[in-house]
Amino acid sequence: MSWERSPLARHLKSIINTYGWKCKCGEEMIMSAVKVQSIPTCLMCDKLMYMMYSINPSGGVWMNKSLLLDGEFE
Ligand SMILES: [Zn+2]
């Protein structure tokens, strides 16, 4: 049985969210986690990143509305 089809993998897939992060320097990162424990820092410039979007296990997408307005997040 492959890992993808194992009960544990299926369980994890049903509870894990995907988070998209971005830094003001342009660096982007994708994180898969049950929940966000802490805001990640940018690997390039060491500043705190901001969340661009999150996708829940059932496929629902949340977008950071401030990014849709003018591309800047404060
Ligand atoms: Zn950066």
Side-chain angles (χ1 to χ4, degrees), residues 2-19 31-35 55-59:
S2 74
W3 160 248
E4 290 284 315
R5 288 164 175 269
S6 71
L8 179 59
R10 282 213 303 266
H11 173 66
L12 287 175
K13 215 170 181 178
S14 71
I15 59 169
I16 281 183
N17 300 289
T18 301
Y19 302 96
M31 173 196 287
S32 294
V34 176
K35 65 174 186 175
I55 304 170
N56 67 26
S58 51

Side-chain angles (χ1 to χ4, degrees), residues 37-62:
Q37 307 277 5
S38 61
I39 297 171
T41 50
C42 178
L43 296 173
M44 302 298 285
C45 67
D46 218 34
K47 291 199 174 95
L48 285 178
M49 302 184 89
Y50 54 86
M51 197 183 287
M52 279 198 295
Y53 61 84
S54 67
I55 304 170
N56 67 26
S58 51
V61 178
W62 172 87

